[in-house]
Amino acid sequence: MGRTGRTRDNGYLQKTLPLDLSQKQQQFNAAMERFHSMRIYGFFGQIVSLSNVSLQIYLLYRLWPHSIGIPWQAFSILVAYVLTDFINGLVHMFMDNNDRYDSVTGPLIANFHMHHKIPQYKRNKLPIVYFNETGSKVWLVGYLLAVSLLLEAGFDPVVLYTLVYIGILSSVAEISHYLCHSSSAKTSIFLGNIGILLSKRHHAKHHLEDNTCYAFLNGFTDPLLNLIAARLYKGYKKTTDLHYLQYVVTADQER
Ligand SMILES: [Zn+2]
Ligand SMILES: [Zn+2]
């Protein structure tokens, strides 16, 4: 944000909103208008959800006959857990700092930022949350297709199990984030407190502070993600979080 808009008043130059901020707010509002008025964006989300869930089921079904034994299964899940937390944190970091609202993907980017404006989700059954929230994970479709190719190529089953678990846990991370914001059930709080899912206390830093704690499966990789974020980005509090300030949410647009 370099330039500053100025108006002349009583002979004095008075600062108004920075021009870039004003433009970004208009672009954000226009992108959200497109998101809600063009049915293609809602349809696209449904197709992404359907593709991701179908590929997750297909890969698990294809891989299950290849037994690797309990110790290797435990190893695959453990490695996948850490990598999922990190990869999804990286994607979250990229999206939170993305302000290309006037691009074709602009409506999806603007809608992604709504998780800061309205952190609370609409209450829903967990399988529905799993399906709906998986619709924002466009990258996961490409990832799961790539894993399908590796499976056809006959890669090592331990590697394949790890990759497939990453593909599934990436959707579980959405559940973890949902529970963190929208559940006060004892089980979800317990799972958050013991570090299997995201704890409310840990994730609160992402919303209260700036450019921090992007991970949302359990937050284990946040120390590394925070170092990367500090090197790559200025943060969202003084950038993208300001872009939605002029956007008015109607009741039917709530998450
Ligand atoms: Zn965020
Ligand atoms: Zn959150």
Side-chain angles (χ1 to χ4, degrees):
M1 273 180 243
R3 295 167 294 150
T4 302
R6 290 168 187 270
T7 55
R8 190 173 287 277
D9 183 30
N10 295 333
Y12 293 98
L13 284 174
Q14 285 195 335
K15 279 190 178 181
T16 59
L17 273 179
L19 277 179
D20 284 358
L21 176 56
S22 165
Q23 278 171 0
K24 283 293 174 193
Q25 288 178 340
Q26 286 170 22
Q27 286 175 3
F28 181 93
N29 290 356
M32 285 305 292
E33 172 62 30
R34 275 189 287 152
F35 183 82
H36 287 291
S37 64
M38 295 172 74
R39 292 172 70 180
I40 185 77
Y41 287 106
F43 183 66
F44 181 71
Q46 296 281 310
I47 293 294
V48 171
S49 288
L50 205 59
S51 305
N52 280 332
V53 173
S54 305
L55 282 164
Q56 288 166 345
I57 293 169
Y58 164 77
L59 284 168
L60 211 52
Y61 174 76
R62 283 289 311 276
L63 201 54
W64 207 245
H66 299 273
S67 175
I68 57 171
I70 291 173
W72 281 115
Q73 280 289 355
F75 174 80
S76 294
I77 291 170
L78 204 67
V79 173
Y81 221 87
V82 176
L83 288 177
T84 302
D85 192 58
F86 180 70
I87 293 165
N88 283 271
L90 274 183
V91 175
H92 182 184
M93 184 193 301
F94 171 75
M95 289 299 287
D96 272 3
N97 292 283
N98 190 335
D99 63 359
R100 299 190 60 196
Y101 309 121
D102 52 354
S103 64
V104 179
T105 54
L108 302 176
I109 296 165
N111 189 55
F112 188 91
H113 293 329
M114 293 300 287
H115 87 279
H116 283 203
K117 189 173 174 76
I118 315 170
Q120 198 79 10
Y121 290 76
K122 264 186 198 165
R123 295 284 179 104
N124 237 327
K125 288 191 164 49
L126 293 187
I128 293 173
V129 175
Y130 184 101
F131 184 84
N132 288 345
E133 297 304 318
T134 296
S136 67
K137 304 180 100 66
V138 183
W139 66 273
L140 191 58
V141 180
Y143 171 86
L144 292 169
L145 284 172
V147 177
S148 306
L149 292 177
L150 295 180
L151 191 143
E152 293 303 327
F155 252 62
D156 182 85
V158 175
V159 175
L160 287 172
Y161 269 109
T162 307
L163 294 175
V164 171
Y165 289 147
I166 289 171
I168 294 167
L169 286 169
S170 293
S171 293
V172 174
E174 298 292 340
I175 297 272
S176 182
H177 187 234
Y178 166 86
L179 291 172
C180 189
H181 280 291
S182 301
S183 171
S184 50
K186 278 183 183 167
T187 316
S188 59
I189 291 171
F190 174 72
L191 291 174
N193 287 343
I194 62 170
I196 288 180
L197 297 181
L198 197 59
S199 88
K200 288 178 189 285
R201 182 190 289 261
H202 177 87
H203 184 61
K205 289 184 202 154
H206 178 68
H207 293 279
L208 296 173
E209 299 173 18
D210 195 7
N211 206 22
T212 192
C213 298
Y214 289 96
F216 61 99
L217 178 58
N218 65 348
F220 183 75
T221 60
D222 267 329
L224 178 56
L225 287 163
N226 290 345
L227 287 175
I228 296 169
R231 279 195 155 253
L232 296 183
Y233 296 110
K234 283 188 284 186
Y236 37 81
K237 288 286 182 197
K238 293 184 184 130
T239 55
T240 48
D241 277 9
L242 301 179
H243 299 162
Y244 54 65
L245 290 183
Q246 302 294 330
Y247 182 67
V248 179
V249 182
T250 56
D252 61 319
Q253 292 176 357
E254 284 176 5
R255 295 176 73 205

